[in-house]
Amino acid sequence: MKLDPKIPSGPLTEKWNHYREHVKLVSPGNKRKYKVLVVGSGLAGASAAASMGELGYQVECFCYQDSPRRAHSIAAQGGINAAKNYHNDGDSAFRLFYDTIKGGDFRSREANVYRLAETSVRIIDQCVAQGVPFAREYGGLLDNRSFGGAQVSRTFYARGQTGQQLLIGAYQALERQIGLGTVKMFARHEMLELIVVDGVAKGIVVRDMVSGKIESHMADAVCLASGGYGNVFYLSTNAKGCNTTANWRAYKKGAAFANPCYTQIHPTCIPVSGDHQSKLTLMSESLRNDGRVWVPKRKEDRLKHPSSISEADRDYFLERKYPSYGNLAPRDISSRSAKEVCDEGRGVGPTGLGVYLDFADSIKRLGKQKIQEKYGNLFEMYERITDENPYEVPMRIYPAVHYTMGGLWVDYELMSTVPGLFVLGEANFSDHGANRLGASALMQGLADGYFVLPYTIGNYLANVKPSDRPSADHVEVKKAEQNVQSRIEKLLSIKGKTSPAHFHRELGKIIWDYCGMARNKEGLEKAISLVQDLKKRFWSDVSVPGSGQSLNQALEHAGRVADFIELGELMCRDALQRSESCGGHFREEWQTPDGEAKRDDQQFCHVAAWEYQGESQEPLRHEEPLHFENVELATRSYK
């Protein structure tokens, strides 16, 4: 396997222009001859399908939800970054590029990140044209607020509903193309296999989740925009349906999986309240603009009512540790800091796993009305869940699994190691390194779909003949369908006594305990052994009632859990091999005297991409060296 990033030549600021000026094109008449499949209909998938439909390609788009509007992108709250410098506070494309590189702890590819930064300004214009109701300041210009890891205000927002409004914009563009007939939408269809013919991606096998019918769809290129794998932890901020199956099917067909151990823990989540929970609820990072994070200085005060704890007895630990950024320190650093004070016994709430996010000072300074305008829906959501009024009592928050920076390896053109297979948004690894800065996931998904893929996929299809598209009775198609059918039959035949949810919860605890906010060699080796044992028990004792010929949510969940189990093992292997701390990957053996991450640029300044070697075989680890020509490899500091 060769990892060729295909980075264009020339200065960093000219690479994307140079690429577009020399890219191969497909004429409008010929575009109608090509068919492209898009798996996923969130921001990356919907924008890609709409854009390619507008260009004239035949597009088929698939999602497992009942509507594209149910995609998890809708849950994003706080905002989307763009380097427009409306506040005249010194922002620029280069500064956004540098903040993203630094935020990812210098473990991302320069060329991809700069393209993202320079494309960001066009995304905002596109969304405004679609009617996205971004907040505006008194003069009529779009307003901005700050997010972690930046000292400028570059985050555009629509109250606490930014993801929802952006997705509605992309959904409208997608529905327009569906109405025009350029895009065919397949809701309630789950991708269960990638069809590879002569080493090239040529289609997918899907299951109609209502009827149970297995069917194949052939095309000239396949685009995966199926999101991240945070639900490997069971409890996460992701929607319950989010899964890794599309990516994992591609991995087993030859697509390298890059940096699977890079997962993001978000510091601003409502704490776990008990074993009854099936997911966690996020409180937007934007709240840290006006909320101050603190815990009592003394352990004995942790169960006191917060109003009874004097200012002198409070530890505003982020402001103390990171005075330059304060409460807007990046997510990985803020999360670990919250864990540290809770581990010291100063955590608040019944479980001791919580810190306060307090708005008293901001309400006093700005007034309650202003806070309501900025965060009203988030405050209402918090009160409905906790039965506590955050205008009167500080919110309680604790870190939780949120985003995954790892994903299928892609080159500059967003193509995986399987020719013809493109990967967009959170499903790929490309832009965030070892940690994602807030408000950049929405930016990447829309950049990939609206502005990158339409160029790069044309460059690929210009060398493909539509007549080479295999027919539905091709031997590889039949083999892929049989693989899907055999797997379904195997799951149904076990007749065990343990539910898929039980195995999922058990897996999540293993990965959280040993490959969560902190990892070490002993724990990771133990986790690998535990996951291998869990896999054996799953395939001998899972209970999947019903049949595969109808709606069967237990069958859906079982298939996804089986893939999560295998991915969980790969995550632990990746974390074990990376003997350094960087971003969200914190190895306890590699930290500075004051508890900060300690990188090893000599040994690990590279992307780790794993190649599947077969069932029960250890995967092969490949490396793509990372070269930094425009930024200095510096120790990451927010102090």
Side-chain angles (χ1 to χ4, degrees):
M1 179 179 287
K2 184 181 180 183
L3 300 179
D4 179 6
K6 298 181 184 174
I7 299 171
S9 59
L12 181 69
T13 56
E14 296 299 323
K15 288 184 186 296
W16 183 228
N17 284 337
H18 181 271
Y19 177 89
R20 289 184 295 173
E21 288 167 358
H22 295 85
V23 74
K24 294 180 180 177
L25 301 176
V26 179
S27 69
N30 284 335
K31 283 188 175 79
R32 292 190 290 271
K33 300 175 183 177
Y34 291 99
K35 181 184 285 188
V36 179
L37 307 182
V38 178
V39 180
S41 60
L43 287 181
S47 60
S51 297
M52 288 188 290
E54 182 73 38
L55 287 170
Y57 295 109
Q58 303 173 51
V59 182
E60 293 183 357
C61 186
F62 302 82
C63 71
Y64 64 78
Q65 298 95 341
D66 53 7
S67 163
R69 284 188 60 175
R70 301 276 293 179
H72 183 60
S73 299
I74 206 167
Q77 299 166 340
I80 177 171
N81 288 331
K84 279 190 171 291
N85 195 31
Y86 280 169
H87 278 215
N88 198 29
D89 54 2
D91 202 10
S92 65
F94 187 87
R95 192 175 292 276
L96 174 53
F97 154 75
Y98 182 77
D99 285 347
T100 306
I101 287 280
K102 177 184 176 183
D105 217 348
F106 301 91
R107 289 294 177 261
S108 47
R109 193 188 289 148
E110 272 195 343
N112 288 64
V113 177
Y114 190 83
R115 177 176 64 189
L116 177 64
E118 67 175 321
T119 303
S120 67
V121 295
R122 300 177 65 198
I123 296 170
I124 301 303
D125 295 339
Q126 171 92 1
C127 294
V128 169
Q130 290 174 337
V132 174
F134 287 121
R136 294 178 181 269
E137 48 90 31
Y138 72 97
L141 287 177
L142 300 183
D143 198 10
N144 296 125
R145 56 189 176 200
S146 298
F147 258 57
Q151 291 181 310
V152 298
S153 294
R154 64 161 67 100
T155 304
F156 295 78
Y157 64 98
R159 296 188 71 192
Q161 307 167 349
T162 313
Q164 180 183 26
Q165 299 304 326
L166 292 173
L167 185 63
I168 290 172
Y171 171 73
Q172 289 174 155
L174 175 62
E175 285 295 316
R176 177 174 180 272
Q177 297 305 317
I178 293 171
L180 292 172
T182 62
V183 177
K184 291 182 180 179
M185 190 71 218
F186 294 84
R188 287 290 186 190
H189 282 69
E190 183 171 26
M191 174 186 158
L192 296 179
E193 190 64 283
L194 177 71
I195 298 171
V196 178
V197 178
D198 297 328
V200 179
K202 287 294 183 181
I204 61 174
V205 180
V206 298
R207 178 177 181 269
D208 183 325
M209 295 162 65
V210 177
S211 69
K213 181 182 178 183
I214 304 298
E215 53 192 52
S216 294
H217 294 257
M218 310 308 296
D220 301 294
V222 178
C223 303
L224 295 188
S226 49
Y229 50 89
N231 276 351
V232 68
F233 290 88
Y234 185 71
L235 287 179
S236 84
T237 64
N238 289 262
K240 281 297 291 177
C242 292
N243 63 85
T244 192
T245 291
N247 267 16
W248 202 246
R249 298 297 105 211
Y251 166 69
K252 287 194 164 185
K253 282 298 186 75
F257 208 116
N259 301 331
C261 78
Y262 286 170
T263 56
Q264 180 174 76
I265 313 297
H266 197 295
T268 317
C269 181
I270 298 178
V272 176
S273 59
D275 289 341
H276 63 282
Q277 280 186 265
S278 61
K279 76 174 300 296
L280 298 172
T281 303
L282 180 71
M283 289 285 100
S284 170
E285 180 177 313
S286 63
L287 294 170
R288 291 196 281 149
N289 272 279
D290 291 300
R292 299 180 71 191
V293 179
W294 66 275
V295 291
K297 288 182 178 179
R298 298 191 300 263
K299 295 179 184 179
E300 54 267 30
D301 289 345
R302 76 169 194 83
L303 292 178
K304 288 183 177 179
H305 193 278
S307 63
S308 69
I309 302 173
S310 69
E311 192 74 13
D313 292 328
R314 300 180 180 188
D315 179 12
Y316 294 91
F317 57 90
L318 290 178
E319 298 173 27
R320 169 174 56 82
K321 294 174 66 176
Y322 307 103
S324 293
Y325 287 76
N327 296 299
L328 285 173
R331 291 177 177 178
D332 58 322
I333 288 172
S334 300
S335 293
R336 282 199 298 274
S337 296
K339 180 179 185 296
E340 285 171 11
V341 296
C342 291
D343 288 348
E344 291 169 4
R346 295 190 287 141
V348 300
T351 64
L353 298 177
V355 301
Y356 287 127
L357 182 60
D358 194 340
F359 291 86
D361 286 351
S362 293
I363 291 173
K364 189 182 299 182
R365 175 168 48 88
L366 300 172
K368 182 178 177 180
Q369 179 64 33
K370 189 66 177 178
I371 297 298
Q372 282 179 324
E373 290 174 8
K374 295 169 78 172
Y375 311 115
N377 61 309
L378 297 173
F379 277 47
E380 180 183 350
M381 182 169 68
Y382 180 87
E383 185 171 7
R384 286 186 178 184
I385 293 171
T386 65
D387 198 29
E388 294 178 356
N389 184 346
Y391 294 104
E392 299 172 359
V393 180
M395 289 183 179
R396 284 181 291 112
I397 57 170
Y398 191 70
V401 174
H402 183 52
Y403 188 89
T404 52
M405 288 76 68
L408 295 185
W409 184 91
V410 293
D411 59 22
Y412 189 75
E413 297 184 302
L414 303 184
M415 190 156 70
S416 71
T417 52
V418 176
L421 177 64
F422 294 82
V423 191
L424 291 69
E426 191 178 359
N428 75 31
F429 89 101
S430 70
D431 293 346
H432 307 298
N435 173 60
R436 179 178 73 86
L437 291 185
S440 58
L442 304 183
M443 176 174 60
Q444 186 211 345
L446 292 178
D448 287 354
Y450 283 137
F451 299 112
V452 179
L453 184 74
Y455 284 96
T456 63
I457 201 168
N459 190 51
Y460 169 75
L461 292 175
N463 294 315
V464 174
K465 296 180 180 178
S467 58
D468 291 341
R469 195 184 309 155
S471 62
D473 59 358
H474 191 282
V475 62
E476 291 297 336
V477 177
K478 294 302 179 184
K479 188 188 297 184
E481 291 176 348
Q482 185 56 48
N483 287 344
V484 170
Q485 192 61 50
S486 297
R487 198 160 187 266
I488 290 173
E489 290 172 0
K490 185 177 181 181
L491 286 167
L492 292 168
S493 69
I494 296 170
K495 307 294 184 185
K497 297 180 179 179
T498 307
S499 71
H502 179 92
F503 284 109
H504 195 176
R505 186 185 290 273
E506 190 173 342
L507 171 69
K509 180 166 174 51
I510 294 170
I511 305 301
W512 176 253
D513 286 347
Y514 301 110
C515 197
M517 270 195 280
R519 301 102 186 257
N520 59 57
K521 182 176 185 291
E522 182 182 356
L524 290 166
E525 289 173 342
K526 181 178 181 180
I528 291 170
S529 176
L530 290 172
V531 173
Q532 289 173 340
D533 177 67
L534 183 70
K535 181 179 178 180
K536 291 176 185 175
R537 288 190 286 117
F538 175 89
W539 285 105
S540 63
D541 191 40
V542 70
S543 171
V544 185
S547 75
Q549 307 308 311
S550 62
L551 176 66
N552 189 338
Q553 292 183 307
L555 177 61
E556 296 162 18
H557 194 188
R560 296 167 186 171
V561 172
D563 293 331
F564 275 138
I565 290 172
E566 294 180 359
L567 171 62
E569 181 179 343
L570 185 65
M571 289 170 62
C572 294
R573 288 189 183 280
D574 188 46
L576 182 62
Q577 290 291 319
R578 188 169 284 276
S579 299
E580 66 164 353
S581 291
C582 57
H585 169 64
F586 190 77
R587 283 286 295 268
E588 293 173 345
E589 304 95 324
W590 282 273
Q591 55 181 302
T592 63
D594 55 350
E596 301 294 339
K598 188 176 181 180
R599 293 199 321 264
D600 183 349
D601 295 331
Q602 198 70 29
Q603 301 294 325
F604 292 98
C605 192
H606 61 246
V607 176
W610 295 84
E611 180 184 4
Y612 182 67
Q613 295 292 290
E615 191 69 27
S616 302
Q617 301 295 313
E618 287 194 18
L620 192 60
R621 188 179 189 270
H622 300 273
E623 297 177 4
E624 177 205 335
L626 292 171
H627 303 287
F628 294 92
E629 301 171 0
N630 298 273
V631 298
E632 181 184 349
L633 267 172
T635 299
R636 185 167 169 244
S637 174
Y638 292 91
K639 294 185 176 183

